[in-house]
Amino acid sequence: MSVDLSIIVPVYNEEDNVLPMYQAIRDAIAPIDREVELVFVDDGSRDRTVERLSELPRHGKPKVRIVKFRRNYGQTQAMMAGIDVANGKVLVTMDGDLQNDPRDIPRFLEQIEAGHDLVVGWRKDRKDHWSRVLPSKVANRLIGWVTGVPIKDNGCSLKAYRADLIKKIPLYSEMHRFIPAMSSLARPKIAEIVVRHHPRMHGSSKYGFSRIYKVFVDLISIRTILTFARSPLMWLSGLTMVTLLLTLFAAVSAVVFADTSYAGSSVVFAGVTLLFGALSLFLIFLAFLGQLIWGARSKSLAPFVDLAVRPAGREVQ
Amino acid sequence: MTRTTTPTLPDESVLGSPETGPADFAPADFQLSVIVPVSRETESILHHHERHAAALAEFGPVEFLYIVDGQFPKTTSELEKLARDSDHTVRVLVFNQTFGDSAALSVGFKRARAPRILTLVPEAQVDPADLPDLVRGLEAADMVVAKRSSGVGGSVFGVGKMEWVLKRILQSPFADLRCRVRALKKEVGEEIVLYGHQHRFFPLLALRHGFKVVEKSVRPGGGTPPRDTNAPLDYSLILDVVTVFFLLKFLKKPFRFFGGFGLAVLALGLLATGWLIFTRLAFGTPLVDRPALILSSLMVVLGVQIIAVGLIGEIVTFAYTKDMREYRIDRIIE
């Protein structure tokens, strides 16, 4: 039972926002002549969010579906559940706190139907405190540089996807801000559009400064996975090259110093040669191990080239 | 106990239980399945069975699943006799080798036919009079864990050492993880796969899967504590705590764990090496006759290794992530 458009909204302790959110989305999609479902994912809220959600009209336009988690799993998991459950051909994700404006949704749909795989919102004029905006700007630059997918605003939840593509991208842990980067495995056509952004009305923001370490470490993981997925033997090759060069350098030093007045240094350099030599070997074997893991799984992981196959014609129906 | 006239068991093949003989109860008739892993010769097993059965009689037809974890011929033959005389409410499964309590419980969960499950040990860990209370607790929770009043029963090395550690590092709310008496809904047992020594941490794992787990105080039953057969207690305890720590905190993001360590060691190593090279070039401080450069290189090497292992972990997670969704859906309303 598929519909044209699924709107996925993760909510966590948003009892006051549920009804305004629903009304705003309903009004925003009223002019669109498509079948629309609205998937709320309740991320283990402790307040009356679920009651409020189940009071909403279930079968109008949009159709409302509620996915209730057993406990709190975080925003990425909520979005993943929404993506897994949604029946639409086009999926739109957005925040449950009314900071995104549903009136932007028709433009997202337009962009997807014009042939893009992924449309990303850009909160050009953010209504947040500078202490949130500044780290986010730095993070976006860094993410763009490391992953090779320069997107101005990875943190914006308002995004639209071609369902075929996003359902096959493996997402895990707290990766929702890396979805564009991860989907770059399929070389998608990405569009960026400026969206409206509102300050929070109810409830409180759920992020803080402490994310910097996590984003930094996750970024290294993402980079590794992207390199690895494209070419399973390459992911450690850079590192291995460096250690091999160091080995070589230490070995040459050991030999050069051997017959000079620095003969003592020769012993030290020989030790260093052994250390880095061992490391190079370790890394090479680890690269083979990676290949082994990948080989064992390659059947169930569709080759990412497959994802890039687009429906014929320019229109995505 | 009432017998029904239903002669067939529709999913007999699924249950795959030739050891039970013809089943006279349809699965729906059992109100409670009691699972008892037996991991050594137990002389008074029939005595305990009677006490348990009497205490639980109020729940209507109760099935008992004895899982004999290894070759214990005396106990097995007693149990088999019990099963023959029992109107098919007692089933006995025998492993040909010892696989451990976790395996026994997993098998039990799969074969239990009632919607509610109670796990017991063949001794009296808990006063049988308190067992019905635990089962009734399932009306408001998915799992009810027995907590024996402190200082009595419990373990060889004193109750609560492991719980204390777990409370500190994992914020575990449980005070008596050594007590194996737990009541749970069938879906909890079906969803959580136990292996190794994880049966000890079953309540913690259930919490992580989003189930509602509560603790209920009970009186200790005065039985001897169950012994761990596989390893000396303290060693296995340390391993267990490490395992469960990693399992609960970093299974889905290994590099957050390895990366922190690795980057710290690597940074230290690079700083030390840089300093040595700088002093050598600028002030001519010799590198000979001391292990400084080798030590700093060793730190760099170690740091890179930890990082690389963490990244392999991340690749494994990535490769398997489609198979293991982290979230658990309670229900979908549509």
Side-chain angles (χ1 to χ4, degrees):
Chain A
M1 186 193 66
S2 82
V3 295
D4 300 312
L5 173 66
S6 299
I7 301 168
I8 297 159
V9 188
V11 283
Y12 177 54
N13 292 348
E14 304 276 6
E15 54 180 6
D16 297 327
N17 282 333
V18 164
L19 191 62
M21 184 86 204
Y22 171 77
Q23 286 163 343
I25 293 175
R26 186 192 57 199
D27 297 344
I29 58 154
I32 315 178
D33 181 28
R34 302 278 194 294
E35 228 181 311
V36 184
E37 68 172 4
L38 178 52
V39 182
F40 282 106
V41 185
D42 171 64
D43 189 12
S45 299
R46 287 163 190 277
D47 60 2
R48 300 179 44 80
T49 304
V50 178
E51 280 93 325
R52 294 275 182 284
L53 286 174
S54 40
E55 284 160 18
L56 298 174
R58 210 67 54 72
H59 298 291
K61 182 189 174 186
K63 271 188 265 182
V64 172
R65 301 167 76 200
I66 306 157
V67 178
K68 182 179 176 302
F69 277 1
R70 272 194 213 140
R71 66 164 170 91
N72 178 255
Y73 284 98
Q75 204 183 357
T76 306
Q77 296 296 321
M79 282 194 178
M80 270 166 57
I83 289 168
D84 288 343
V85 164
N87 293 321
K89 293 179 189 116
V90 177
L91 311 186
V92 170
T93 57
M94 61 191 295
D95 266 339
D97 58 8
L98 284 173
Q99 286 196 279
N100 297 134
D101 193 326
R103 285 177 295 167
D104 291 319
I105 292 175
R107 291 195 295 135
F108 277 78
L109 187 63
E110 249 166 54
Q111 289 293 322
I112 296 275
E113 295 188 341
H116 289 101
D117 298 301
L118 177 55
V119 186
V120 188
W122 173 22
R123 295 166 293 178
K124 197 174 180 183
D125 181 22
R126 265 184 92 164
K127 301 285 193 301
D128 282 317
H129 193 249
W130 66 269
S131 66
R132 276 199 62 186
V133 178
L134 188 70
S136 154
K137 276 199 167 155
V138 175
N140 282 318
R141 277 292 174 82
L142 199 63
I143 293 171
W145 178 62
V146 173
T147 62
V149 185
I151 290 208
K152 291 184 198 75
D153 188 1
N154 285 285
C156 179
S157 298
L158 188 51
K159 294 191 179 85
Y161 314 90
R162 194 159 61 78
D164 299 343
L165 180 109
I166 189 66
K167 284 189 181 227
K168 283 182 193 160
I169 298 283
L171 306 170
Y172 66 104
S173 88
E174 285 161 39
M175 300 254 166
H176 66 271
R177 69 181 63 240
F178 298 118
I179 290 177
M182 287 300 280
S183 53
S184 75
L185 288 169
R187 312 286 156 99
K189 277 172 77 180
I190 303 179
E192 254 181 308
I193 56 182
V194 176
V195 296
R196 285 166 271 216
H197 190 239
H198 303 295
R200 283 189 72 88
M201 311 262 280
H202 306 280
S204 59
S205 176
K206 282 125 199 158
Y207 300 106
F209 250 125
S210 67
R211 316 208 114 222
I212 295 172
Y213 166 76
K214 289 181 180 172
V215 169
F216 178 67
V217 178
D218 284 351
L219 203 52
I220 300 177
S221 312
I222 292 281
R223 177 58 193 251
T224 306
I225 287 167
L226 288 179
T227 320
F228 179 81
R230 288 193 184 120
S231 161
L233 266 181
M234 284 299 280
W235 67 289
L236 274 177
S237 60
L239 211 51
T240 315
M241 276 304 151
V242 174
T243 59
L244 279 176
L245 278 179
L246 283 172
T247 314
L248 197 66
F249 174 73
V252 168
S253 308
V255 172
V256 166
F257 288 132
D259 285 333
T260 64
S261 52
Y262 296 107
S265 299
S266 185
V267 179
V268 176
F269 279 115
V272 175
T273 308
L274 278 180
L275 278 178
F276 280 106
L279 181 59
S280 311
L281 207 61
F282 175 85
L283 291 178
I284 290 168
F285 286 154
L286 215 54
F288 284 132
L289 183 62
Q291 181 87 49
L292 195 68
I293 294 164
W294 196 248
R297 294 292 293 166
S298 56
K299 273 209 174 146
S300 55
L301 284 167
F304 293 106
V305 194
D306 259 18
L307 302 184
V309 175
R310 292 179 180 81
R314 289 191 57 80
E315 292 264 317
V316 180
Q317 283 299 311
Chain B
M1 283 175 206
T2 52
R3 289 185 66 157
T4 65
T5 50
T6 320
T8 52
L9 187 61
D11 48 354
E12 178 67 49
S13 60
V14 180
L15 293 164
S17 46
E19 63 283 288
T20 59
D24 286 342
F25 286 90
D29 289 331
F30 287 113
Q31 295 303 307
L32 179 67
S33 295
V34 180
I35 300 174
V36 192
V38 180
S39 53
R40 56 178 163 141
E41 294 282 12
T42 312
E43 271 130 45
S44 49
I45 196 155
L46 293 183
H47 167 67
H48 287 301
H49 174 79
E50 269 161 36
R51 290 182 68 198
H52 289 148
L56 295 167
E58 65 177 274
F59 294 104
V62 176
E63 72 162 347
F64 277 81
L65 262 166
Y66 281 92
I67 296 148
V68 183
D69 186 19
Q71 296 296 331
F72 309 110
K74 264 168 64 189
T75 308
T76 310
S77 70
E78 275 192 66
L79 285 172
E80 272 168 354
K81 192 167 160 295
L82 177 68
R84 272 197 304 277
D85 301 342
S86 72
D87 279 355
H88 310 295
T89 57
V90 175
R91 285 194 287 167
V92 183
L93 279 79
V94 184
F95 290 173
N96 57 1
Q97 279 179 42
T98 300
F99 286 96
D101 277 3
S102 292
L105 286 176
S106 293
V107 167
F109 293 151
K110 213 182 281 169
R111 303 201 172 199
R113 288 180 286 185
R116 291 177 292 182
I117 295 175
L118 180 68
T119 63
L120 290 178
V121 286
E123 295 87 6
Q125 255 191 342
V126 165
D127 189 339
D130 284 340
L131 293 178
D133 239 15
L134 291 176
V135 179
R136 272 194 296 266
L138 287 179
E139 280 153 26
D142 298 310
M143 186 175 197
V144 185
V145 185
K147 180 179 115 187
R148 289 163 299 178
S149 40
S150 57
V152 206
S155 77
V156 193
F157 285 87
V159 172
K161 199 194 247 172
M162 174 174 74
E163 286 81 358
W164 187 86
V165 175
L166 287 175
K167 187 168 247 155
R168 288 295 169 285
I169 64 169
L170 286 173
Q171 288 85 46
S172 151
F174 302 108
D176 189 7
L177 285 171
R178 255 170 233 279
C179 184
R180 305 283 162 73
V181 179
R182 293 154 185 163
L184 51 135
K185 289 182 178 156
K186 188 164 167 42
E187 65 254 34
V188 181
E190 277 173 341
E191 186 172 312
I192 299 173
V193 181
L194 298 172
Y195 55 89
H197 288 248
Q198 286 176 5
H199 57 92
R200 284 177 173 175
F201 310 105
F202 193 19
L204 268 177
L205 297 173
L207 263 190
R208 174 174 174 267
H209 279 247
F211 290 109
K212 190 175 175 213
V213 185
V214 297
E215 226 174 11
K216 247 198 171 85
S217 290
V218 296
R219 284 161 291 179
T224 48
R227 295 228 342 235
D228 284 292
T229 43
N230 291 354
L233 192 66
D234 270 4
Y235 174 64
S236 77
L237 189 141
I238 294 166
L239 278 187
D240 284 349
V241 171
V242 171
T243 311
V244 91
F245 175 72
F246 195 78
L247 203 68
L248 292 187
K249 293 212 105 157
F250 296 104
L251 186 64
K252 297 293 154 69
K253 38 207 165 194
F255 195 65
R256 292 246 180 104
F257 179 73
F258 289 98
F261 275 109
L263 289 170
V265 175
L266 179 64
L268 270 177
L270 286 178
L271 278 178
T273 312
W275 174 250
L276 287 174
I277 292 172
F278 172 71
T279 51
R280 174 70 189 82
L281 295 180
F283 311 117
T285 319
L287 293 172
V288 198
D289 295 336
R290 57 185 186 137
L293 186 65
I294 291 190
L295 285 184
S296 69
S297 308
L298 188 60
M299 269 211 281
V300 173
V301 168
L302 188 62
V304 171
Q305 284 185 341
I306 298 173
I307 290 171
V309 167
L311 290 175
I312 268 280
E314 204 72 29
I315 285 170
V316 174
T317 311
F318 167 69
Y320 285 84
T321 192
K322 277 279 168 188
D323 296 345
M324 34 184 210
R325 284 293 190 227
E326 198 176 343
Y327 64 79
R328 302 278 177 242
I329 294 177
D330 182 48
R331 62 199 143 107
I332 299 181
I333 308 166
E334 45 194 338

